Amino acid sequence: MASIWDKPVQYVKGVGPQRARLLARLGIATVGDLLYHIPRRYEDRSLYRPLKSYPDGEQAAAEGEVIAVQETRARSGIRVLRAALRNQWGIFYAVWFNQPYLKRVLRVGSRLTVTGKVRHGFGAAEIHVTEFETGEGEEGLNTGRIVPIYPLTEKLSQRVLRAIVFGTLQNETAALPEILPPQVLQKYGLPGRRRALAAVHFPESMAEAEAGRRRLVLEELFLLQVALFHRRRRITAAEKQYRCGPDGPKVRALKEGLPFVLTPAQERAWQEISRDMEKPRPMHRLLQGDVGSGKTVVAALALAKAAENGLQGALMAPTEILAEQHYLNLRALLEPVGVRVALLTGGLKKEERLQRLRAVGEGDLEVVVGTHALIQEEVEFQRLGVAIIDEQHRFGVRQREFLRAKGNHPDVLVMTATPIPRTLALTLYGDLDLTVIDTLPPGRQPVKTAWLKPAELGRVYRFVRTEVSAGRQAYFVCPLVQESEQLSAQAAVKLAEELAQVFPGLSIGVLHGRLKLEEKERVMADFRNNRVQILVATTVIEVGVDVPNASVMVIFDADRFGLAQLHQLRGRVGRGRHSAYCILIAGRTTPEAAARLKALTTLGDGFALAEEDLRLRGPGEFFGTRQSGLPELKVADLLRDHKILEVARREAELFLEQDSGFTSQVAQHIKEEIGKRFHELSAYVV
């Protein structure tokens, strides 16, 4: 049978071109999309009771015989249709607004079931009807049972969508193949696929709905984990062309030249990476750590190790600003030990770009830092030994693959400064070994965080002046401007001019994305050397900026920033021996933004904040699915279903141990289903 993901939903009974366009707004293009469009909740309309027992405004269902129908017009001009219904508890009224056509439907003597909000006034109770069902020729999908409530779009009603889903379950699923191995179904007492779909959409009980949902969640996460494990096996089964020897003079010189000793967590991370680079199989590892935990130094050691073995290294970052920060940091670390570092971004002039490309291709440059420009076709490495990808969640799986393909099975190190809850890490990076730098360097100060209103800015300015008078420095992050870097730059310049009036006699610097690289270096050097006391910046300082003497971070319009971004900005202070402060400025704001700001004032640990961020936003918004590479999950909720994810991982690993070649019939169905559901991963199981 062709996959249910193949048949366009337009050709399903009751859909057609017009409704297909409406369904497309919900991401429903095929029969598979429709069947896995899971209800967001249920209403139990199977139990009727007297309307007088419901509080005013509560949702209720009631059934009765129509004994009279009357239409009136209110003073506002709204047409009101009232049907008097009688049941065992007496008479009540069903009320519709501006739906005069219903007079032809509502016949005296017929049976009617209605659902809506109860209103108590003078006389008999009323239901302001949202849905109804007559006794003639209807399937009983909307009342008198547990009723599914779906995510909807404009011009598409619950009633219509229920009818379409019900018809599809009846007509399109007879030969639906099973895609969970029989031993998994038996081991966990799960219903078959067709039964699970029916139970999720039209359950006989809430227990049946939950059993069906659990089966579909396990199915979805199992497929995802099979794809990730299979990809990992394929990568690690290869033999890499270039293999590093034990740590040599460049690595030793880099360690000895550091103004600090590596923390035990950094040393442990480096040993794991170093061992991987000496193995015949390619490294495929995620390096995860909180803000300021020291991932850049570990990445620099990996690049130095590659260079001393005659190999090249590449570091890819998602934005030019971040690539520039990495370039400046790595150049300061690596050039003193004889490793040449270059920057390759889309913003380079043509002649300069061609010159860099030649140097990379001829092997004259040992380390190249860049953006997506690194994976363009014209970029050719002579001997790529290690590929490092920073903030991987802002790339997709394929970009990682494109960079890996620039060498012959090079070592791959993926880094993220965004703490990722374990459930998301297993989903996003199930094909990677995991290394966590779980402690901060000694001397890092906890940052005291406060949320103040704009009216309290006078207090903030007095506090900053006190800190600067004591020899410290401060950051001011200007309001977030989404539209363009140019507008962000203008906002930063304007804020700097305003602060010059507030702090006469102090030196104020400005840092934004529109500055040339040399200007950024000059501004940062002045700030590092305390020639600039106050640095006004856009979010270019979010990562890679390390000035131990800076003790205050002031963020304007903090409610417009994400929780992870606020935590990154806060991480710029608390790097020296002095007490550190982060001041969030935000006025009246949404409940969601208020929850973020409150979380930041109470939580200092990045991983605890990440869990809270995931709880507040849900996995789909945690990174922004469009750019994250996070597979789109139709059924699973990674917060609620983390235990099922662990089961799915175990079973996926067992399945591949027994049938890594996808030879059985169920395995063939699994492979086909992965190809349809997870496009980014499909290449790794075909």
Side-chain angles (χ1 to χ4, degrees), residues 242 311-314 381-387 403 406-408 410:
Y242 308 118
L311 306 175
Q312 292 170 291
F381 291 85
Q382 191 183 74
R383 289 164 60 86
L384 182 62
V386 62
L403 184 58
K406 291 291 179 184
N408 195 336

Side-chain angles (χ1 to χ4, degrees), residues 88-125:
Q88 65 264 47
W89 295 291
I91 292 172
F92 67 95
Y93 290 96
V95 181
W96 292 262
F97 299 97
N98 283 334
Q99 296 184 60
Y101 71 92
L102 288 176
K103 278 194 296 184
R104 298 191 299 273
V105 177
L106 305 174
R107 292 196 299 276
V108 172
S110 64
R111 300 294 298 177
L112 193 66
T113 309
V114 292
T115 305
K117 285 187 177 175
V118 175
R119 295 296 178 201
H120 296 294
F122 297 106

Side-chain angles (χ1 to χ4, degrees), residues 321 485 488-489 492-493 510-515 520 536-538 540:
I321 291 166
E485 274 187 27
S488 293
V493 170
V510 183
L511 192 67
H512 56 73
R514 300 279 287 183
L515 293 176
K520 288 176 189 165
V536 177
T538 60
V540 295

Side-chain angles (χ1 to χ4, degrees), residues 231-232 235-236 276 281-286 400-401 404 410-414 429 431-434:
R231 166 180 158 77
R232 178 174 176 167
I235 290 169
T236 55
D276 280 354
R281 308 290 182 196
M283 170 171 71
H284 207 55
R285 186 171 289 279
L286 169 65
R400 196 197 312 172
E401 191 64 21
R404 199 174 71 87
D411 291 314
V412 174
L413 180 65
V414 169
Y429 306 118
D431 54 334
L432 297 166
D433 295 314
L434 182 62

Side-chain angles (χ1 to χ4, degrees), residues 420-631:
I420 304 168
R422 179 173 168 75
T423 48
L424 268 189
L426 292 176
T427 308
L428 271 174
Y429 306 118
D431 54 334
L432 297 166
D433 295 314
L434 182 62
T435 293
V436 179
I437 301 180
D438 52 8
T439 56
L440 295 177
R444 285 298 302 259
Q445 301 295 319
V447 182
K448 300 178 181 74
T449 306
W451 170 17
L452 300 178
K453 306 292 182 188
E456 299 174 275
L457 270 174
R459 272 178 67 197
V460 175
Y461 294 151
R462 286 193 295 275
F463 178 71
V464 169
R465 184 173 287 283
T466 302
E467 284 292 296
V468 172
S469 299
R472 251 76 77 210
Q473 292 160 276
Y475 297 98
F476 279 80
V477 175
C478 67
L480 186 66
V481 179
Q482 297 284 15
E483 289 85 351
S484 70
E485 274 187 27
Q486 184 175 349
L487 290 176
S488 293
Q490 289 168 1
V493 170
K494 186 178 177 213
L495 179 58
E497 289 169 355
E498 291 170 3
L499 291 177
Q501 304 297 314
V502 177
F503 299 105
L506 295 184
S507 178
I508 298 175
V510 183
L511 192 67
H512 56 73
R514 300 279 287 183
L515 293 176
K516 291 181 178 172
L517 186 59
E518 300 76 33
E519 293 174 297
K520 288 176 189 165
E521 286 188 73
R522 181 180 53 75
V523 172
M524 283 310 305
D526 285 346
F527 191 58
R528 266 192 295 271
N529 296 316
N530 207 357
R531 292 191 290 268
V532 163
Q533 287 82 49
I534 292 175
L535 183 63
V536 177
T538 60
T539 54
V540 295
I541 60 155
E542 187 181 338
V543 287
V545 175
D546 187 3
V547 179
N549 192 51
S551 63
V552 186
M553 166 67 66
V554 181
I555 305 171
F556 285 94
D557 289 357
D559 55 314
R560 293 166 64 183
F561 293 81
L563 196 49
Q565 196 171 32
L566 288 169
H567 182 57
Q568 292 277 9
L569 290 168
R570 177 170 66 178
R572 299 308 106 206
V573 294
R575 292 167 172 257
R577 64 183 192 279
H578 309 292
S579 297
Y581 309 89
C582 178
I583 302 169
L584 311 169
I585 308 295
R588 292 179 65 182
T589 188
T590 64
E592 294 82 7
R596 288 200 301 275
L597 298 178
K598 189 175 178 185
L600 204 76
T601 61
T602 54
L603 297 172
D605 175 66
F607 287 93
L609 270 173
E611 291 285 359
E612 179 65 9
D613 200 10
L614 181 60
R615 188 188 69 76
L616 289 172
R617 290 198 283 163
E621 295 299 320
F622 185 79
F623 293 132
T625 46
R626 188 169 55 83
Q627 60 177 13
S628 69
L630 177 68

